[in-house]
Amino acid sequence: MQKDCVFCKIVSGEIPSEKVLETEHCIVIKDINPQAPVHLLVITKEHFDDITQVRDREIAADIIDAINEVAEKLNLRDFRVVNNRGRGAGQSVFHVHFHILAGRPFSWPPG
Ligand code: AMP
């Protein structure tokens, strides 16, 4: 738990969220500012500033499991998984998380 981290507060329940799934190491919540009809965030329970700090293979595997479980649960066929690392790449919350976006067409390359 890191002081003043919004996602640590969501994990602890101090800040409310719409949780759709929980695994051993992650929670999956609805993004507060959705960029697609489905916009979820896979958030690790443990605080890591960003993906470069996630070196534990059990946690890495749990993130993939959370993505696949929620895709199955919500019957998502086509979806995009995004991780922004660093301000220049668009990271605004410095607690590692993975966006799952679905429900509209997505162009490539992303902006
Ligand atoms: P990023 O810019 O990749 O760091 O993504 C951070 C995401 O967290 C954004 O899509 C925000 O809309 C989302 N977000 C920030 N605060 C909350 C919150 N309290 N509940 C749900 N999503 C949030």
Side-chain angles (χ1 to χ4, degrees):
M1 172 101 188
Q2 181 142 316
K3 207 171 145 279
D4 298 330
C5 170
V6 64
F7 285 176
C8 282
K9 289 180 180 171
I10 286 175
V11 169
S12 73
E14 193 180 334
I15 293 177
S17 67
E18 281 192 72
K19 199 189 290 182
V20 295
L21 191 93
E22 180 165 358
T23 60
E24 186 180 355
H25 294 287
C26 300
I27 58 168
V28 184
I29 66 163
K30 292 188 181 177
D31 196 291
I32 205 169
N33 182 23
Q35 301 301 311
V38 177
H39 187 171
L40 307 170
L41 299 173
V42 178
I43 299 173
T44 56
K45 292 180 182 175
E46 188 175 334
H47 181 93
F48 301 97
D49 289 345
D50 61 51
I51 194 171
T52 66
Q53 292 185 356
V54 182
R55 298 303 173 97
D56 182 320
R57 287 171 184 270
E58 190 182 310
I59 295 176
D62 193 76
I63 291 167
I64 302 289
D65 286 348
I67 292 166
N68 286 321
E69 278 176 37
V70 84
E72 199 170 73
K73 183 175 175 178
L74 300 185
N75 218 6
L76 306 180
R77 267 179 58 81
D78 299 325
F79 58 91
R80 180 169 285 180
V81 179
V82 175
N83 170 258
N84 298 320
R85 193 273 162 170
R87 267 182 223 290
Q91 187 176 5
S92 61
V93 176
F94 288 80
H95 177 135
V96 75
H97 55 280
F98 296 80
H99 301 257
I100 302 173
L101 300 135
R104 66 167 170 82
F106 295 101
S107 59
W108 193 263

